[in-house]
Amino acid sequence: MARKGGARTLPLMTQKGACFAMTNRSIARRAGLIAAAPLAGLLAISAQMLDDDRNALQAARITEAAASLLPEISAFFHALQIERGAAIASVDGGRAGAGRARTDAAADAMLDAITHLTPLLGGASAAGPRATLRIAEAAAAERGALRRLVDQGAPTADITLAYSATVDRLLSGIARLRQEAPNQQIANDVLSLISQLRISELSGLERAAGAAVLAEGGFAPEDFTAFSSLAMQQGAVLKGLNMWVSPEIFVAIDEALATPQAREFVKRRTELLNARGEIPADFVDARTWRQIAAARIGALTGAESRTIARLTAALTEARKAAQTRVRGALAMTAMLGAMLGGAALSLSGTARRLVGGLVGAGGDAEGRTSGGSSSMMIV
């Protein structure tokens, strides 16, 4: 190091080496961050996928839990139909209360299941399934009002409409399961079940209306129009059902409609419709009509049970698949987090060694040029 007029001079390379040393740590940190940026991006994507998969798992669990109530809802649904038929058909000999014990037993089983399921349906994603339970509970509570109508001797049309409104509410509750359906096939299976229950409801109305007309000995003009529309509505629902029903369930419905009981009912219905409001000679009486109509509904109920079993199994599989995705996303996120940390440390160390080498090179250069003209003045 040379002195000029009492001042110290440092070679220029020494100055540069000092600057390198001062910025060594900062450069290393920046280099590590820049090089780790792609891993950080992948980690963010993986974390978002994990969050999505967790939400899907929660929805699958909730829908599976709510769908486990379907057998109880179906039993209550059919019990209400039987109770309604007993209330409006004079063939029961004035036993307006016939079928109430069956309905109460079905309602109690359903309400007990709701009590156990309700704690499982927490969280914002449970809105649809929670509505399924809430609507079923409300339908069960309507029994008292329905029976008061019957006991007070309300017109048959009013009784029919009141019971049918409760049945329709049950169907709307089942429809809410589609809100959190894990996939489109499960959503279609829910629609398929609703369509089958709708056919059963129309068949129940047909059973009750036909029995009432046969007991009275003939149709009023407006009654015949309403009665004939029930068969047309069933045909329309069946036609629409073909758009989303699975092949397995289609076969089950086809088999139900091909049973001897179902064929016998369709034969008798056709005879009644062809008579254009008259009662054909030697036609079955009201009680027999109710029996063959009930047998057809029973055959359709078998297809409903298969649909519920298929739906429940599909929801279980969807929940298991969601659990697998969550486990995979967790493992991926943890692996990327570890890689990101390790890469940041490794790259930071590499950058420090690189900058340190540059500083060392600056020091070597200083030794070679200390006597030259490249210097700075330090006062």
Side-chain angles (χ1 to χ4, degrees):
M1 179 169 58
R3 288 182 176 271
K4 292 184 180 180
R8 290 184 302 123
T9 59
L10 289 176
L12 184 59
M13 288 304 296
T14 300
Q15 176 198 21
K16 292 180 178 179
C19 291
F20 277 128
M22 291 170 63
T23 58
N24 183 359
R25 189 168 299 172
S26 176
I27 293 174
R29 185 181 300 112
R30 291 177 186 176
L33 290 174
I34 292 171
L39 277 177
L42 289 175
L43 180 61
I45 294 171
S46 179
Q48 182 59 56
M49 291 174 61
L50 174 60
D51 188 57
D52 292 343
D53 288 338
R54 280 176 168 165
N55 290 336
L57 175 58
Q58 177 72 354
R61 282 174 171 165
I62 287 169
T63 307
E64 181 186 22
S68 69
L69 186 66
L70 287 174
E72 285 79 12
I73 293 178
S74 177
F76 180 58
F77 174 94
H78 289 292
L80 275 176
Q81 290 182 311
I82 293 170
E83 182 177 321
R84 176 185 58 198
I88 66 179
S90 59
V91 70
D92 289 303
R95 293 186 296 109
R100 290 184 180 180
R102 180 201 300 263
T103 306
D104 289 340
D108 289 344
M110 184 176 70
L111 292 172
D112 184 60
I114 289 173
T115 299
H116 289 88
L117 286 172
T118 299
L120 303 177
L121 303 186
S125 62
R130 267 204 311 269
T132 299
L133 272 61
R134 186 175 64 251
I135 291 170
E137 196 170 24
E142 293 172 4
R143 285 171 292 164
L146 295 173
R147 291 167 181 176
R148 280 193 294 275
L149 275 177
V150 177
D151 295 341
Q152 292 167 4
T156 297
D158 292 349
I159 294 172
T160 302
L161 286 173
Y163 272 89
S164 297
T166 299
V167 166
D168 286 344
R169 261 188 287 281
L170 283 172
L171 294 182
S172 72
I174 295 173
R176 297 297 293 273
L177 289 175
R178 298 185 69 244
Q179 189 168 324
E180 301 295 337
N183 57 58
Q184 188 58 48
Q185 184 56 60
I186 288 175
N188 288 347
D189 284 347
V190 173
L191 284 175
S192 173
L193 176 61
I194 292 170
S195 296
Q196 292 173 65
L197 290 169
R198 173 61 62 193
I199 292 169
S200 179
E201 165 64 357
L202 292 168
S203 299
L205 291 171
E206 195 174 36
R207 172 182 60 187
V213 166
L214 291 171
E216 293 168 3
F219 284 98
E222 63 275 12
D223 291 340
F224 179 76
T225 300
F227 179 80
S228 62
S229 73
L230 293 171
M232 290 188 289
Q233 290 179 62
Q234 290 176 63
V237 175
L238 275 171
K239 185 176 181 180
L241 181 62
N242 291 336
M243 294 192 304
W244 52 71
V245 69
S246 67
E248 174 190 346
I249 303 305
F250 179 85
V251 170
I253 295 171
D254 194 51
E255 290 175 350
L257 294 175
T259 59
Q261 302 95 324
R263 290 181 179 278
E264 174 67 12
F265 177 79
V266 172
K267 173 186 173 184
R268 295 299 184 181
R269 177 216 276 161
T270 302
E271 291 174 0
L272 196 55
L273 291 174
N274 288 341
R276 306 299 301 173
E278 301 293 331
I279 305 299
D282 301 323
F283 197 71
V284 297
D285 60 15
R287 187 176 296 277
T288 303
W289 170 267
R290 283 174 56 85
Q291 290 173 346
I292 59 175
R296 176 176 179 263
I297 293 172
L300 289 169
T301 302
E304 292 168 18
S305 298
R306 288 174 66 173
T307 303
I308 290 173
R310 170 188 165 86
L311 181 57
T312 302
L315 283 166
T316 299
E317 287 302 313
R319 188 250 306 157
K320 289 180 178 178
Q323 286 175 326
T324 300
R325 289 195 299 272
V326 167
R327 285 194 291 266
L330 275 171
M332 178 63 71
T333 303
M335 181 183 70
L336 287 172
M339 289 175 63
L340 179 61
L345 289 174
S346 176
L347 291 168
S348 178
T350 300
R352 284 195 183 95
R353 288 192 296 272
L354 176 60
V355 174
L358 291 173
V359 172
D364 290 342
E366 175 191 354
R368 290 192 299 270
T369 62
S370 58
S373 61
S374 296
S375 62
M376 66 178 287
M377 182 75 68
I378 300 179
V379 180

